Amino acid sequence: MSSLKIGIAQLNPIVGDLAGNAARILESAIEAKQFGVDLLLTPELSLCGYPPRDLLLNPGFIEEMSKQLADLARQLPENLSVLVGFAGNNPRSILAGEKPLFNSTALLNSQGIQEVFHKRLLPTYDVFDENRYFASGKESHYFHLHDLKIGVTICEDVWNDEEFWGKRQYAVDPIADLAALNVDLIVNLSASPYSIRKQILREDLLAHSAKRYQIPIAYVNQVGGNDDLIFDGHSVAFNRQGEVIYRAPGFTSSLEILEFENDFSPASLYPIPETEEEEIYRALVLGVRDYTEKCGFKKAILGLSGGIDSSLVASITTDALGRENVLGVMMPSPYSSEGSITDALALVHNLGIQCEKLAIQEAMTAYDRLLEPLFAGTSFGVAEENLQSRIRGNLLMALANKFGHLLLSTGNKSEMAVGYCTLYGDMNGGLAVIADVPKTRVYSLCHWLNRQKEIIPPNVLTKAPSAELKPDQKDQDSLPPYEILDEILDRLIEQHQSSRQIIEAGFDPETVRKVVKLVKNAEFKRKQAPPGLKISDRAFGTGWRMPIASRWS
C-alpha cells in the first residue's frame, strides 16, 4: 500500500474574513509542502470561519467565498492536495425545495477544485442551527490519493455511532457507509466547540469507531474564540486498533505532519490538561484574547470590587492580553469595607495591572437628591441599592468609550441564573467572561491559580461573598448557600430536572421553588446581557432559547 504524509492544520479563523482565512490556509500549505506533505487537512468551514451564522444569507458573501476558494487553489504549491471547508451553492434548492447551501469541503490542488464533499448530518441542538442554512449531503464519498481511498466526513458526521451511544441520533451513519465502501482512511474536518472535558468524549467516540471498523481516523478541529464559543483544537488521529497516536496541543494553532502507510505511525501526543480548572482557565484566556482582538480592541477595562469574581476575571484578562493592556477601576461606596479596598489593591499588585480609583459617594448623593421628591415616603430598598451598581456601570462605560477599551463584566453563572445582578449596572460590558462559571467553580479556579504562588489575595478566598450595597450585606441573606444553590441550578439547567425531581433528591422544597422562580423571572435580564464565554453544555447564550413572557413553573 502507498505511503502518505498528512498535515493537520489546526487553524484559528476569523469569521467572515475570507481573504485572511485563505491566507492562513495558504501559509499552512506552503509550510506543509516544505515537509513533503501530500494531503493537508483544515477544519470545517475553514475558509469562512465557524459559525458564520446569518452571513450565509448574504449572496455576495457566498459569491466571494467561491472566488476565494478558486484563487486559493491556484496559489497552492504543486503536488499538494488540501481539504478546505466552505459553504457552497446547492443546485437542487429550487427544484427540490431544499436549503440553498451545503456545508462542504473541497479537495484542492494547484490545478483547481478536484472534488467536493457535503456534510450529511446537520445538528440543530444547543448552539447549532445548521438546518437553517444547509441541505444535507445525500451520500458519503471518498477520493483517491496515492492509490488510497480516503473517506471524507464533516464534524457531526462522526457523531452517530449507535453502538457507542446505544441509539442512533440520525437515520444514517456516514462512518458505517464509508466502511462499507472499504476506504483505507477516514478524515473528519470539525469545528467542535469547547465544553468541560469534551475532548475525552470525542476521543472515546472516535476510538470506538476506528476500532469497530478497523479504519484509521484523522480528526482536525478548529481552535480559537468566536463570539461566545470557544474552540479548543485538540486535533487527534487514531490507528486501526482505536489507539490515539497523535493529539494536537489545546487552545493554540498548530501544524503537525503524520506518516501513513496502511496505518498511522506514532506522532506527537500533547496531553489533555490534568484538571478541569486548568482546562477551563485556558479556555477562558483564549476566549478573552480572541474576542478582544477579533473585535478590534487592544485593551480591556473592568471594575475591581475586591471580590472573588472580579479578581478571577482580572487574572484571566491579564493572562489573555498582558498586564499593560488591563485597567482595573475601584469604585468604593460608603458601604465598601476597608478590607475590600485592601484586597483589590493587593490583587492589582500581584497582577501588575494599572488601577484607578473613583469614589462614588458624591454621585450617590446627587442621585438621592434628584430622586427624593419621587421616593419620598418609601423605605430604602433594592432600587437604592441598584443605583450604586448603575453609577459604577456608567463610569466604566464612560471610560471604555473615552479610551476605546473593551469593558468586561464580571458576573458568574449563579448570579446570572437567579438574577442576582443589575441591569445597566454590573451587567454592563461587551463580554461576560465568567457568565458560564458557577460561583463554586469560581472558588476552585482561584484556588487552582494560587497553587504555586499568591495571585488571588487569601482574604478574597475566605471572606463571605457580598455585593456591599448596604451595611453588613451578605449574598446568603437572600440566596441559599452557593454549594446548595449551584447543585440545584445544575440539576435544573444542565440536567433538565423538574422541581419534583430535585425535591425528591433531598433538597428543601421551599428553597427549590424559590430558585426555580428566580431563574424564570430573571430571563429578561439574561436577554440583555453581553455575550458570555461558553464552557458548559448548557450556557446562557446562543443555545439558550427560553421565553421571557411565559407561565412555566
Side-chain angles (χ1 to χ4, degrees):
M1 184 174 285
S2 298
S3 63
L4 196 68
K5 277 192 174 182
I6 300 175
I8 294 185
Q10 185 168 282
L11 301 176
N12 184 349
I14 298 176
V15 171
D17 184 14
L18 299 173
N21 293 335
R24 293 177 186 92
I25 295 169
L26 180 59
E27 181 182 0
S28 294
I30 293 171
E31 182 180 355
K33 186 58 184 176
Q34 293 172 351
F35 291 96
V37 165
D38 302 294
L39 174 64
L40 180 66
L41 310 182
T42 71
E44 176 182 16
L45 294 181
S46 53
L47 188 55
C48 62
Y50 191 95
R53 296 184 171 137
D54 279 5
L55 287 176
L56 296 170
L57 302 180
N58 185 336
F61 181 67
I62 303 302
E63 182 180 355
E64 180 61 25
M65 197 181 324
S66 178
K67 291 180 181 177
Q68 288 287 345
L69 189 68
D71 289 345
L72 173 61
R74 285 190 289 268
Q75 298 176 69
L76 290 175
E78 292 186 357
N79 301 316
L80 172 66
S81 296
V82 184
L83 286 170
V84 175
F86 75 106
N89 287 308
N90 175 13
R92 300 194 307 260
S93 63
I94 296 177
L95 294 178
E98 296 180 352
K99 292 294 174 18
L101 300 173
F102 285 117
N103 182 337
S104 302
T105 291
L107 178 66
L108 307 182
N109 62 28
S110 59
Q111 304 304 307
I113 300 171
Q114 302 304 305
E115 296 187 56
V116 174
F117 308 87
H118 304 312
K119 187 173 184 177
R120 299 190 66 191
L121 307 184
L122 303 178
T124 57
Y125 55 86
D126 191 32
V127 300
F128 305 107
D129 200 9
E130 295 202 19
N131 274 326
R132 178 180 176 89
Y133 312 104
F134 299 120
S136 296
K138 298 302 181 184
E139 55 188 354
S140 297
H141 289 294
Y142 61 86
F143 65 94
H144 285 96
L145 187 63
H146 290 205
D147 298 323
L148 294 169
K149 295 166 67 174
I150 301 174
V152 178
T153 59
I154 302 174
C155 204
E156 189 80 1
D157 289 345
V158 299
W159 287 79
N160 195 32
D161 189 319
E162 79 280 1
E163 201 174 87
F164 180 84
W165 297 108
K167 63 177 182 178
R168 276 204 174 187
Q169 319 288 339
Y170 304 87
V172 298
D173 184 354
I175 294 291
D177 289 351
L178 287 172
L181 295 172
N182 297 314
V183 298
D184 300 301
L185 167 67
I186 293 173
V187 298
N188 182 263
L189 315 179
S190 278
S192 178
Y194 168 77
S195 61
I196 300 169
R197 284 320 202 208
K198 187 175 183 179
Q199 180 63 12
I200 295 174
L201 175 62
R202 289 189 195 119
E203 292 190 14
D204 287 346
L205 170 65
L206 293 168
H208 182 275
S209 293
K211 184 177 181 180
R212 178 183 181 186
Y213 296 108
Q214 293 289 290
I215 301 174
I217 297 176
Y219 167 97
V220 57
N221 191 27
Q222 177 175 292
V223 71
N226 285 329
D227 295 352
D228 55 331
L229 302 183
I230 301 165
F231 298 85
D232 55 307
H234 282 127
S235 303
V236 285
F238 298 84
N239 62 20
R240 295 181 186 276
Q241 290 72 48
E243 299 166 333
V244 58
I245 58 89
Y246 165 68
R247 183 187 301 116
F251 309 105
T252 187
S253 301
S254 68
L255 173 65
E256 183 71 21
I257 315 304
L258 305 183
E259 301 280 350
F260 184 87
E261 186 172 1
N262 188 46
D263 209 343
F264 283 115
S265 300
S268 303
L269 203 60
Y270 292 88
I272 298 172
E274 289 187 8
T275 65
E276 291 184 0
E277 281 69 29
E278 178 188 356
E279 185 181 285
I280 293 168
Y281 191 83
R282 291 180 64 188
L284 293 174
V285 167
L286 175 60
V288 169
R289 180 186 300 127
D290 272 13
Y291 188 92
T292 304
E293 293 178 355
K294 292 179 181 181
C295 290
F297 294 96
K298 296 186 181 302
K299 298 189 177 186
I301 182 174
L302 72 156
L304 295 180
S305 67
I308 195 162
D309 297 320
S310 61
S311 297
L312 176 60
V313 173
S315 178
I316 291 167
T317 309
T318 301
D319 284 336
L321 306 181
R323 63 184 62 183
E324 69 279 6
N325 295 316
V326 182
L327 171 62
V329 183
M330 298 188 303
M331 295 165 286
S333 79
Y335 304 120
S336 300
S337 66
E338 185 60 36
S340 293
I341 298 171
T342 302
D343 292 338
L345 290 172
L347 176 76
V348 167
H349 177 267
N350 291 347
L351 296 177
I353 62 176
Q354 181 185 354
C355 180
E356 298 291 346
K357 180 180 177 181
L358 299 172
I360 67 169
Q361 181 168 9
E362 187 176 342
M364 290 170 60
T365 301
Y367 269 89
D368 288 342
R369 188 183 307 115
L370 185 65
L371 290 168
E372 186 175 9
L374 297 177
F375 280 13
T378 66
S379 57
F380 182 95
V382 173
E384 288 83 358
E385 291 180 32
N386 286 342
L387 278 175
Q388 297 170 60
S389 182
R390 293 188 173 117
I391 290 168
R392 292 177 173 126
N394 276 331
L395 293 173
L396 289 170
M397 282 304 307
L399 292 169
N401 288 164
K402 187 69 174 178
F403 301 109
H405 296 352
L406 171 65
L407 175 57
L408 303 175
S409 69
T410 62
N412 61 64
K413 188 173 189 175
S414 308
E415 296 169 346
M416 289 293 293
V418 297
Y420 203 70
C421 46
T422 304
L423 272 176
Y424 326 119
D426 59 317
M427 291 178 68
N428 280 5
L431 180 67
V433 178
I434 58 171
D436 199 27
V437 182
K439 187 77 167 189
T440 48
R441 179 73 80 173
V442 170
Y443 276 97
S444 69
L445 284 167
C446 288
H447 282 289
W448 174 82
L449 272 173
N450 280 8
R451 67 198 184 283
Q452 294 177 332
K453 66 175 183 178
E454 179 189 310
I455 296 175
I456 309 300
N459 190 50
V460 172
L461 297 169
T462 56
K463 65 184 178 184
S466 171
E468 294 192 330
L469 299 177
K470 63 182 181 181
D472 300 319
Q473 185 181 40
K474 300 289 184 291
D475 291 2
Q476 205 166 312
D477 295 342
S478 51
L479 295 176
Y482 280 112
E483 293 79 8
I484 295 174
L485 175 62
D486 284 354
E487 178 65 23
I488 293 174
L489 292 173
D490 178 76
R491 290 172 178 272
L492 180 68
I493 296 166
E494 304 278 347
Q495 302 180 42
H496 305 283
Q497 291 186 4
S498 66
S499 300
R500 177 182 56 79
Q501 288 173 308
I502 299 172
I503 292 168
E504 288 176 353
F507 292 88
D508 174 64
E510 184 178 347
T511 301
V512 171
R513 285 190 283 269
K514 175 183 177 181
V515 170
V516 170
K517 183 177 180 181
L518 287 172
V519 171
K520 176 185 178 296
N521 290 348
E523 192 59 43
F524 79 102
K525 290 187 178 183
R526 290 190 289 271
K527 286 292 192 293
Q528 300 178 70
L533 297 176
K534 181 183 187 298
I535 65 162
S536 75
D537 290 327
R538 189 75 168 135
F540 297 129
T542 305
W544 180 267
R545 305 183 187 187
M546 297 296 290
I548 298 173
S550 76
R551 294 194 177 180
W552 163 79
S553 63

